[in-house]
Amino acid sequence: MWPTVFKVLGGSLLTFALVWALVLGWWQSNDYEPSKLDLALYLGALPLALVGGYLLLRGFIEHLKAPPAADKPDIPALRDEDPLAATSAKTAAAERAFNICLVEGFVTTAVGASTDDVLAAIDGGKRPEPSFRLTDEAGFPVFLAEVKDLDVDGMQEKMAADAASIRKFAEREDVARTLALLDHLLGTVLERLTPLLAQVGDALKLRIVWLVPANWDSSQLAILRTWLQLNYWPNQERSGLEMALVPVASEIDAMRQLDEINLRINRDSANSELTLLLGAVSAVDEQTVDSRSASNKLFSADHQDRKIPGEGAVGLLLASRAIVERYELSEVTLLSRVSMGVRDKPVDAGGRVGGKLIEQLVTGLLDVSAVENTQVKTALLDADHRASRVAEAMEGLGQTFEHFDPIKDCLAVGTVSGDLSPIGSLIALACARTKVLATEAPVLCLSNQHERDRAVLLAMPYIAQPNTEPSLT
């Protein structure tokens, strides 16, 4: 304390001395005879004002340098010996480490009907091409990532015959294309799923979660559910079949549903479900393209920082560890919980694009999963061609995964399949499973296609847990 007082006092005396010397010298050089007011102002008030201003400025700077006081919650503190608090903390910690098994991943995209096709297209640098069907306002072909030879007319006729009450709804081109994509995907899914269900008999329940676009008429969902069951699971009338249609608006909604499945399966130790997570979307119809063009969201030669419409479908077959081990399922990948966050500003808002949020999410995920950063060999992104997404991902991943080759190890699914919101992250995850099986190393799945929402999870090689039950012999 005293050294500070002496410094302030010494500085004040020095200020007075300098002011007096300058003022008296000025008066003497001008042969000026000061009045009593001049003496008070120049020899008293002026040096005092300088000293006071210095003290105020110093106080303001010290206030800025001081750390903000932490807000203390206005709730009573929990005692360490509180058994409920301890149980809650242990439960939360255990749930953060939950895993779920990805038994199979199915995709239908513009570049092929398998994850191998998608990965090969990324490796080959393939990109969406101009459409022969649609043109923009200037008359130029629109760049689209559309599935070729999709039987849209056939699907509309099928919907009209099977469910006359939704005939008008199915006349929408985007709806018809989405259902045609789902039909194409389910043909492959049933080839894999039917023998498996026959093998396990009634021992397992089948639960289907269909992620439908949020802009679909909610009054049609019940009819669509019935249509799906009658056309693809007509013999599954037993109590083992459960089906839910969930509207989703963005990639983070789809990832949240995946995380809910993880929690559902792991919270019930007796769970005997196989869960099929389905999703399909199409944005290559004339109405959607015109809408995006009017809102300045459509890619063109003059505006390459905008979205390329795409279409596709995905199916993820999920199960618990116990089911995988009981039925000796092969080529299984382990999935971590999903870590999610929201950027403080949209990535396209302008200015420098930072990847701090992605870095934080990845660091926390590796810590919870007990995976070393050097073990991760690849990152699968749902991002597309836009430079803002690429820059954000490179900065967010670069600090943690310095061993990554940005071209070979950071694979963006959206560059070949276009904008597949809201299921793009799930298609990236299906591709991540293929990479895990090929490299026998963990793969990071990153969703950063959305303006603000971000999500990461790990796909890891499946390692059977050792049998710890005592032998009877």
Side-chain angles (χ1 to χ4, degrees):
M1 174 182 177
W2 288 109
T4 303
V5 172
F6 288 138
K7 287 181 181 179
V8 173
L9 185 59
S12 300
L13 294 175
L14 180 61
T15 301
F16 270 82
L18 287 174
V19 171
W20 286 358
L22 291 172
V23 171
L24 293 174
W26 177 53
W27 285 344
Q28 185 177 9
S29 64
N30 289 280
D31 196 21
Y32 177 75
E33 183 176 350
S35 63
K36 292 181 179 180
L37 180 60
D38 292 335
L39 293 173
L41 288 175
Y42 290 98
L43 300 184
L46 180 59
L48 285 173
L50 292 174
V51 172
Y54 165 76
L55 293 176
L56 288 174
L57 180 61
R58 176 174 175 173
F60 178 69
I61 293 174
E62 292 296 330
H63 171 73
L64 294 179
K65 291 168 62 178
D71 294 333
K72 296 183 179 179
D74 188 20
I75 57 175
L78 293 174
R79 299 182 304 168
D80 292 339
E81 65 272 17
D82 184 353
L84 294 179
T87 301
S88 177
K90 291 179 181 178
T91 300
E95 290 190 348
R96 284 195 293 271
F98 278 168
N99 291 320
I100 193 173
C101 297
L102 177 56
V103 179
E104 188 65 86
F106 310 91
V107 300
T108 296
T109 67
V111 293
S114 73
T115 54
D116 288 327
D117 292 337
V118 177
L119 292 172
I122 296 174
D123 185 58
K126 189 172 182 178
R127 295 293 182 267
E129 300 176 348
S131 170
F132 292 102
R133 296 189 301 111
L134 302 176
T135 58
D136 60 17
E137 295 177 349
F140 294 105
V142 175
F143 281 80
L144 299 176
E146 58 182 323
V147 177
K148 304 298 183 183
D149 302 323
L150 197 62
D151 188 9
V152 180
D153 294 336
M155 177 53 63
Q156 288 178 325
E157 292 176 3
K158 183 177 181 181
M159 291 292 294
D162 293 347
S165 57
I166 57 171
R167 180 181 303 151
K168 187 174 182 180
F169 180 60
E171 289 176 356
R172 281 178 43 181
E173 186 181 355
D174 63 322
V175 173
R177 293 191 71 92
T178 298
L179 295 176
L181 288 165
L182 188 67
D183 178 74
H184 187 277
L185 178 84
L186 286 175
T188 307
V189 171
L190 292 174
E191 288 180 6
R192 172 74 170 94
L193 193 55
T194 301
L196 179 58
L197 292 176
Q199 173 190 344
V200 301
D202 293 337
L204 291 182
K205 297 179 180 179
L206 176 61
R207 182 169 182 261
I208 300 170
V209 180
W210 179 10
L211 306 180
V212 299
N215 63 347
W216 281 17
D217 185 358
S218 59
S219 65
Q220 305 292 341
L221 298 187
I223 302 174
L224 284 172
R225 179 187 180 280
T226 303
W227 172 85
L228 184 68
Q229 179 174 348
L230 291 177
N231 280 273
Y232 303 100
W233 285 277
N235 300 322
Q236 297 291 332
E237 297 178 355
R238 55 181 181 165
S239 59
L241 180 65
E242 180 181 345
M243 191 176 297
L245 274 65
V246 182
V248 290
S250 66
E251 292 81 0
I252 203 71
D253 291 340
M255 294 293 266
R256 189 174 288 112
Q257 288 301 317
L258 174 66
D259 203 49
E260 288 294 328
I261 294 172
N262 194 335
L263 289 172
R264 175 189 174 95
I265 290 178
N266 282 284
R267 282 173 175 170
D268 182 5
S269 58
N271 186 283
S272 58
E273 288 182 349
L274 274 176
T275 301
L276 178 62
L277 182 62
L278 295 173
V281 67
S282 177
V284 299
D285 60 289
E286 184 175 1
Q287 183 176 358
T288 303
V289 169
D290 290 345
S291 174
R292 292 192 178 188
S293 178
S295 58
N296 296 323
K297 296 180 180 179
L298 184 65
F299 174 92
S300 67
D302 296 329
H303 302 285
Q304 300 186 20
D305 57 343
R306 298 176 182 174
K307 296 180 181 180
I308 296 178
E311 63 180 357
V314 62
L316 303 178
L317 186 60
L318 305 159
S320 67
R321 271 182 173 272
I323 289 176
V324 168
E325 293 174 5
R326 185 186 311 158
Y327 297 100
E328 299 179 347
L329 302 180
S330 60
E331 296 187 338
V332 173
T333 299
L334 207 60
L335 303 182
S336 72
R337 290 286 306 279
V338 182
S339 286
M340 294 171 275
V342 181
R343 287 177 55 89
D344 56 350
K345 69 174 184 177
V347 71
D348 293 325
R352 180 179 176 276
V353 178
K356 191 66 176 178
L357 174 60
I358 293 177
E359 182 181 351
Q360 292 173 350
L361 292 175
V362 169
T363 301
L365 179 64
L366 293 177
D367 183 57
V368 170
S369 304
V371 174
E372 295 291 335
N373 61 333
T374 54
Q375 295 178 268
V376 182
K377 304 301 181 184
T378 314
L380 261 296
L381 291 64
D382 61 6
D384 54 20
H385 64 284
R386 287 175 288 176
S388 58
R389 270 63 176 179
V390 176
E392 181 196 27
M394 292 304 100
E395 180 172 330
L397 300 176
Q399 297 297 322
T400 307
F401 305 109
E402 295 181 352
H403 58 285
F404 274 7
D405 183 320
I407 297 177
K408 296 181 180 180
D409 300 330
C410 298
L411 310 178
V413 172
T415 57
V416 299
S417 61
D419 174 36
L420 291 177
S421 178
I423 64 168
S425 55
L426 300 183
I427 289 182
L429 179 55
C431 294
R433 171 186 174 274
T434 301
K435 268 293 180 180
V436 170
L437 297 176
T439 62
E440 297 183 350
V443 171
L444 180 78
C445 187
L446 165 64
S447 175
N448 72 323
Q449 177 81 332
H450 191 265
E451 283 281 304
R452 298 184 62 184
D453 296 332
R454 299 293 176 263
V456 295
L457 64 79
L458 279 174
M460 299 166 285
Y462 176 80
I463 301 175
Q465 294 179 336
N467 187 2
T468 58
E469 296 181 0
S471 175
L472 300 178
T473 59

